[in-house]
Amino acid sequence: MIGRNDPCLCGSGKKYKKCCALKNELSNDQLVDEELERVLIGYYDSALGNYADAMELERIDREWKSKLSKYMLLEEIEAFVAEYFVFVLRREQWNRYLLKTLNGPIRSATRAVLELWKNPIVLFGKTTMIYEDYFLVEEVLGHGMYTIDTEDIQVEENLLAFGVILPDSRQRENGLYFPGELIFIEDRDGAFVQQIESMAETSGQVSSYEFFKKHMIDIYKAIVERDVASVDDLAQSELTLQQKEVVTILVEQLEELDSPPQVVEVGQMITIGYLLTKKPTFRKPEVIAAAIFKAMHDFGILGPYEYAQTEIAELFGVSVSSIMKHMDMLEEILTEIAESVMEDMDAGPLISYSIGTNPRITERVNWETYCKTADIDFESFEEFQAYMNATMNDRFIPKGKKQKAQATAYDAYEAQDDGAKMRLAKLAYATDPKNVDAVLLQAELTDLEKEAEEFYRTAIRLGEGQYDDEPEIPWGLVTNRPYMRAVFAYGIWLFEAGRHGEAAKLFQQLLRMNPDDHQGARYPAIASFIHDGNYASASALLEQYEERSFYEAPYLYLKWLLEMERGNRTTQKSLKLLAEAIEVNPFIESMIEEELPKLPFAKQMDILPGSIEEALYIWFLL
């Protein structure tokens, strides 16, 4: 065996400890990192693979998304929820997993690190001393002091760090390992530290762990609200009135098209950044807003929707040529922003998709705009825009029983408490028994099957009488949506009752009215046809939507299900289809194997491809 002070066998003339020993040590450290990574992945798989835990995780995920989705990407929220769930809420379960791992065959260096991992830490700390290779972070709600390497981190004084950490003293005493990512917050005046300290004092929690366990979501919310406020402050302080109008026009258009809050926020950031860095000259704010909208479309930020140049020009009331004059100047900054966004998303899709029988949040805004402007005869788009700018901050007051009933129905849909929902639903129905949503809400609230079906049928009959098929895209007319919602909700009700043939007819009716499928009816339609034994119709719909859906997990699983139901359960083709589907969303595999019970169809759910939420949706269809 070669000694550390012997000449290195590679012939370099150096001592072994100064030559290849260093390479071997580096290699050993990398092996420990890989083993630690496997430990973490194994825990995530075991903790999130349990059905009961998955249901609890889904509940927390929905709560956090309801509070944070206005400000953050859904994938970011899911990552923070997972860290919180496995290392904070389920800390005892993590320790049991570690004990089991430590009793197994692992490297001694890995064992030394895992011994320190028994108590995951939620770090809320401020930077103190900054050195060349590392900096110190001191806990705000405790007495711990930790070192963080400066590699890949731009650090300065007045920064706060927040996130889940694990101790790792391999490089330095009180060093850290990050299972996820730290969030850094600038706090020059100390106001944010005071805000969190006040929150902790008010909570009455006896330890920082108990405080974080109960209030971690509140801290994330405070962080993102602070970021949003900073952006708004920047816009208010740095933009001219004309530039602010650009932001307003773009945001209103995105919201009118039911864009997710994350996309609206990205649009705001792009617009503010572009106006401040490039300082374009323009006469009509609509031109810049349209150009940025087109750039967002070209970069895929708007999702799967396709708009021709002429359609974009028409949306903003400008010419195509005026838009194109700004595209070259926009390209540089948008490329940089888009690349940054896509890196953060790990080159994944920027937005999720929504399912559910309830209206989307943005529908109410569209309806109120419709009510404000329906009786006004605008002579030009500019006149309409001027009116909207002048009234945008005015509180909407419904007129007449029809508008009052619809506003109350929206209140009922948005109610978080079951008692409040029932009270508002009854009030909407009492105000106008012919309001489609008011009737539909009665169907959802009754426990009597026969009565529910009668309400569904009444809602559809009333909606059909109010339906306007003149628009090229009927879904785009907000007053058509209650009828289409009633058809969809009744179809889901029939599907859950096992009346698949009747459900399929309703879903197919929706797809004929709305081929772009804003409601997501295509997958329940395909599933209904398969369960009803109408394989030809299921195959036709799969083919019809193949171009836009071939990469989506629900599409792949339904394609596999069709092959299975046709009797080809063990063929090479069916096995290949299943393997392709599992690759896109692996959570379904355990649900299939264990034949887990299915949850009812969601009233409203945002779904990220590959997530547990998506798996629950697919399992409902299968």
Side-chain angles (χ1 to χ4, degrees):
M1 178 182 291
I2 185 171
R4 289 178 58 80
N5 291 313
D6 293 338
C8 188
L9 296 178
C10 73
S12 66
K14 299 179 182 179
K15 291 183 179 180
Y16 174 66
K17 68 180 181 180
K18 294 291 187 180
C19 188
C20 288
L22 295 175
K23 299 177 184 178
N24 290 335
E25 288 169 5
L26 177 62
S27 178
N28 288 336
D29 204 40
Q30 288 176 332
L31 290 172
V32 171
D33 279 334
E34 290 177 2
E35 197 162 34
L36 292 172
E37 187 72 19
R38 285 196 295 272
V39 170
L40 285 171
I41 292 172
Y43 178 56
Y44 271 96
D45 288 344
S46 64
L48 304 184
N50 177 281
Y51 183 70
D53 282 344
M55 294 302 98
E56 175 65 7
L57 178 66
E58 186 213 349
R59 183 193 65 77
I60 297 169
D61 191 61
R62 287 190 185 187
E63 178 190 353
W64 283 40
K65 284 178 179 175
S66 71
K67 293 184 178 181
L68 300 177
S69 60
K70 182 178 179 181
Y71 314 104
M72 298 173 66
L73 298 172
L74 295 180
E75 187 175 83
E76 289 180 309
I77 298 172
E78 288 195 342
F80 292 141
V81 168
E83 284 181 19
Y84 167 75
F85 185 80
V86 300
F87 293 116
V88 182
L89 194 63
R90 291 288 190 268
R91 189 165 72 167
E92 293 180 359
Q93 185 172 316
W94 161 250
N95 285 331
R96 288 196 297 271
Y97 173 82
L98 272 189
L99 182 62
K100 181 180 178 181
T101 304
L102 286 167
N103 287 330
I106 54 173
R107 288 179 173 81
S108 57
T110 305
R111 185 182 301 278
V113 177
L114 293 181
E115 289 286 354
L116 298 174
W117 281 12
K118 291 179 180 179
N119 293 303
I121 301 165
V122 179
L123 175 64
F124 179 64
K126 55 185 176 182
T127 58
T128 54
M129 304 295 291
I130 302 174
Y131 300 97
E132 182 178 354
D133 299 326
Y134 67 97
F135 60 97
L136 300 180
V137 176
E138 181 181 4
E139 283 186 309
V140 171
L141 302 180
H143 305 289
M145 184 80 75
Y146 304 97
T147 62
I148 300 178
D149 289 347
T150 54
E151 183 181 2
D152 298 328
I153 297 177
Q154 294 291 329
V155 66
E156 57 185 49
E157 293 181 2
N158 305 307
L159 276 185
L160 302 173
F162 180 63
V164 175
I165 58 173
L166 297 168
D168 183 358
S169 298
R170 284 178 293 166
Q171 300 298 326
R172 287 184 182 84
E173 186 179 0
N174 296 324
L176 300 176
Y177 185 100
F178 308 109
E181 290 188 15
L182 284 182
I183 293 179
F184 288 94
I185 310 113
E186 189 174 347
D187 188 34
R188 294 189 180 278
D189 59 2
F192 194 70
V193 164
Q194 291 179 7
Q195 180 182 350
I196 302 305
E197 286 178 329
S198 176
M199 187 188 298
E201 184 178 347
T202 304
S203 73
Q205 306 301 316
V206 296
S207 71
S208 59
Y209 167 72
E210 292 298 331
F211 168 69
F212 289 126
K213 183 178 179 181
K214 186 173 182 180
H215 293 284
M216 203 153 175
I217 173 61
D218 300 316
I219 298 175
Y220 278 119
K221 189 170 185 288
I223 291 171
V224 294
E225 285 178 342
R226 177 185 174 89
D227 290 342
V228 170
S230 299
V231 173
D232 290 340
D233 290 343
L234 180 66
Q236 290 299 319
S237 62
E238 299 295 333
L239 297 185
T240 66
L241 288 175
Q242 191 183 36
Q243 289 173 332
K244 291 175 185 177
E245 194 173 351
V246 175
V247 179
T248 299
I249 292 169
L250 178 69
V251 168
E252 286 179 352
Q253 189 60 69
L254 291 172
E255 290 178 344
E256 188 174 335
L257 296 171
D258 284 341
S259 298
Q262 310 95 289
V263 173
V264 175
E265 185 180 348
V266 169
Q268 286 179 289
M269 293 296 295
I270 290 173
T271 307
I272 294 170
Y274 174 60
L275 292 172
L276 292 179
T277 59
K278 297 299 182 182
K279 296 180 173 58
T281 57
F282 56 92
R283 184 177 60 85
K284 293 182 64 176
E286 290 83 4
V287 172
I288 302 297
I292 293 173
F293 184 94
K294 183 180 186 307
M296 292 175 69
H297 170 268
D298 293 348
F299 279 100
I301 297 174
L302 297 181
Y305 304 112
E306 293 293 332
Y307 297 93
Q309 293 181 4
T310 53
E311 290 177 312
I312 294 174
E314 186 177 345
L315 279 175
F316 290 87
V318 298
S319 66
V320 172
S321 60
S322 64
I323 294 175
M324 298 309 295
K325 289 177 183 177
H326 293 270
M327 292 310 296
D328 288 341
M329 192 162 57
L330 270 168
E331 183 175 352
E332 180 182 341
I333 189 170
L334 285 171
T335 298
E336 183 179 331
I337 292 172
E339 286 176 352
S340 173
V341 169
M342 295 310 286
E343 283 175 9
D344 289 343
M345 290 294 295
D346 194 24
L350 182 63
I351 61 173
S352 63
Y353 60 95
S354 296
I355 66 166
T357 53
N358 283 359
R360 297 178 186 177
I361 296 174
T362 51
E363 181 182 312
R364 182 173 194 156
V365 177
N366 293 340
W367 174 75
E368 291 179 357
T369 301
Y370 173 85
C371 293
K372 285 181 181 179
T373 60
D375 296 330
I376 303 176
D377 186 15
F378 295 103
E379 294 184 1
S380 66
F381 176 82
E382 287 76 10
E383 187 180 342
F384 168 80
Q385 191 64 56
Y387 174 83
M388 292 305 301
N389 288 338
T391 61
M392 63 181 298
N393 293 321
D394 294 351
R395 181 171 173 266
F396 174 73
I397 301 175
K399 299 177 182 178
K401 69 174 186 179
K402 289 185 177 181
Q403 288 189 6
K404 289 178 181 178
Q406 187 62 50
T408 307
Y410 282 131
D411 288 339
Y413 282 124
E414 295 167 8
Q416 300 298 315
D417 177 72
D418 289 342
K421 184 183 178 96
M422 181 173 291
R423 178 179 58 81
L424 289 165
K426 288 181 177 179
L427 177 59
Y429 187 64
T431 304
D432 182 9
K434 293 185 178 180
N435 179 277
V436 176
D437 274 317
V439 177
L440 187 56
L441 283 162
Q442 308 311 305
E444 293 180 4
L445 294 175
T446 182
D447 294 327
L448 302 175
E449 195 172 300
K450 187 175 180 181
E451 187 178 36
E453 184 163 17
E454 184 57 35
F455 277 127
Y456 280 122
R457 290 178 176 273
T458 301
I460 290 173
R461 176 175 52 78
L462 291 169
E464 192 171 17
Q466 303 165 20
Y467 179 72
D468 184 354
D469 61 359
E470 185 176 341
E472 184 178 350
I473 304 176
W475 178 257
L477 182 60
V478 70
T479 52
N480 278 339
R481 295 189 187 182
Y483 167 58
M484 300 173 79
R485 180 160 44 250
V487 175
F488 186 70
Y490 184 37
I492 293 294
W493 187 85
L494 290 169
F495 184 95
E496 291 180 326
R499 294 159 63 177
H500 298 114
E502 297 171 75
K505 291 178 182 178
L506 292 176
F507 295 135
Q508 194 164 46
Q509 176 187 343
L510 286 175
L511 293 174
R512 282 195 294 266
M513 288 191 287
N514 182 24
D516 287 339
D517 192 22
H518 294 86
Q519 292 175 275
R522 63 188 182 278
Y523 292 137
I526 294 166
S528 296
F529 279 129
I530 294 174
H531 293 308
D532 193 47
N534 190 343
Y535 304 141
S537 295
S539 182
L541 276 181
L542 283 167
E543 186 176 348
Q544 178 181 338
Y545 287 99
E546 180 177 15
E547 186 174 347
R548 61 180 284 188
S549 307
F550 70 91
Y551 55 88
E552 296 175 350
Y555 179 89
L556 294 170
Y557 274 104
L558 288 172
K559 195 172 182 180
W560 164 74
L561 180 65
L562 176 60
E563 189 71 14
M564 293 279 288
E565 292 300 317
R566 281 174 163 167
N568 304 319
R569 293 180 173 270
T570 57
T571 63
Q572 186 174 357
K573 181 179 178 181
S574 66
L575 294 175
K576 181 182 178 183
L577 288 173
L578 179 59
E580 290 174 352
I582 289 173
E583 186 176 353
V584 178
N585 191 314
F587 291 104
I588 294 291
E589 191 172 16
S590 61
M591 295 181 178
I592 294 173
E593 290 175 354
E594 299 178 29
E595 296 184 351
L596 297 177
K598 299 182 180 183
L599 296 177
F601 191 75
K603 298 298 181 186
Q604 187 63 48
M605 183 189 292
D606 291 323
I607 291 180
L608 196 70
S611 65
I612 292 178
E613 290 94 339
E614 184 179 59
L616 292 168
Y617 170 47
I618 295 169
W619 186 230
F620 170 85
L621 297 172
L622 296 182

